[in-house]
């Protein structure tokens, strides 16, 4: 495949802005594969997740196999390989949060939003995912809601945050 063909193929999947942003990252790394996580983040920032087509296009651009890039995406658990809601709830399921009743809080969230881990609410506002320690163990239990870290979770707090979305997400 010639460089022109690769470029045409890429342009049909990735936007000019995405390719430019990936190029900017490539300027800082000695090997193209060194920009893998940043390239995945760039595409996800625009689209919310990384589709198979995008993953293949990025892999070609970085001269990696799709399998290699998939491995990076899978290892880095903040790359979403399926569509997600407008906000992703990253709920800490590690030990400090667990001993502070994170299981009970998670059950309350699932009840309010009608979803379990991996699920997205019917109104597409939230996707709920487990994550390892968020580094805020002294304020456990904690979660991220989009860009916001929410600490000292209890059932009342969760009710306040998600209670109004309950009706919209009932079958
Ligand atoms: S264990 Fe939950 S933030 Fe560390």
């Amino acid at each position: 495949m010639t460089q022109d063909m690769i470029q045409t193929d890429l342009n049909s999947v990735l936007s000019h802005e995405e390719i430019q942003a990936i190029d900017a990252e490539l300027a800082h790394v000695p090997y193209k594969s060194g920009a893998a996580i940043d390239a995945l983040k760039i595409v996800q920032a625009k689209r919310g997740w990384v589709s198979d087509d995008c993953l293949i296009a990025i892999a070609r651009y970085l001269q990696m196999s799709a399998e290699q890039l998939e491995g990076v995406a899978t290892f880095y658990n903040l790359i979403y390989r399926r569509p997600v809601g407008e906000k992703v709830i990253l709920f800490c399921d590690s030990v400090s949060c667990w001993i502070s009743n994170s299981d009970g809080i998670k059950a309350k969230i699932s009840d309010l939003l009608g979803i379990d881990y991996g699920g997205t609410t019917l109104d597409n506002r939230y996707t709920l995912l487990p994550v390892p320690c968020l580094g805020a163990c002294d304020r456990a239990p904690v979660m991220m809601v989009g860009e916001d870290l929410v600490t000292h979770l209890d059932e009342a707090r969760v009710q306040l945050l998600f209670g109004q979305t309950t009706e919209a997400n009932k079958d």
Side-chain angles (χ1 to χ4, degrees):
M1 189 179 278
T2 68
Q3 195 57 42
D4 281 352
M5 287 171 71
I6 290 172
Q7 197 62 42
T8 302
D9 189 32
L10 281 169
N11 286 342
S12 69
V13 179
L14 302 179
S15 71
H16 181 63
E17 290 75 23
E18 287 168 333
I19 292 172
Q20 271 191 326
I22 294 170
D23 283 343
E25 294 300 329
L26 285 172
H28 304 298
V29 293
Y31 304 102
K32 289 192 171 192
S33 59
I37 288 176
D38 287 312
L40 290 164
K41 284 183 181 171
I42 286 164
V43 170
Q44 180 166 282
K46 293 272 180 202
R47 301 160 189 254
W49 65 295
V50 179
S51 68
D52 287 347
D53 284 352
C54 286
L55 184 118
I56 291 165
I58 297 166
R60 283 190 184 154
Y61 199 54
L62 300 183
Q63 297 175 348
M64 302 170 69
S65 70
E67 290 74 21
Q68 286 173 319
L69 190 60
E70 180 75 66
V72 173
T74 304
F75 181 75
Y76 189 75
N77 60 10
L78 298 182
I79 296 298
Y80 309 128
R81 293 284 286 119
R82 289 189 296 169
V84 292
E86 291 159 30
K87 287 190 176 179
V88 176
I89 301 167
L90 298 172
F91 193 84
C92 177
D93 68 351
S94 291
V95 65
S96 294
C97 288
W98 180 75
I99 60 176
S100 304
N101 188 36
S102 62
D103 277 358
I105 306 295
K106 185 266 171 186
K108 177 79 175 173
I109 293 172
S110 286
D111 188 42
L112 286 169
L113 298 182
I115 52 173
D116 205 336
Y117 283 140
T120 297
T121 55
L122 293 175
D123 63 2
N124 202 42
R125 285 185 69 185
Y126 298 107
T127 296
L128 179 61
L129 296 173
V131 282
C133 181
L134 286 165
C137 312
D138 56 328
R139 290 166 284 164
V142 304
M143 65 180 172
M144 297 286 298
V145 180
E147 301 291 313
D148 301 322
L149 180 68
V150 188
T151 62
H152 301 297
L153 291 171
D154 58 24
E155 295 205 6
R157 188 110 197 257
V158 164
Q159 176 74 42
L160 207 62
L161 281 169
F162 301 121
Q164 79 285 1
T165 66
T166 305
E167 286 305 315
N169 290 293
K170 283 190 173 153
D171 286 329

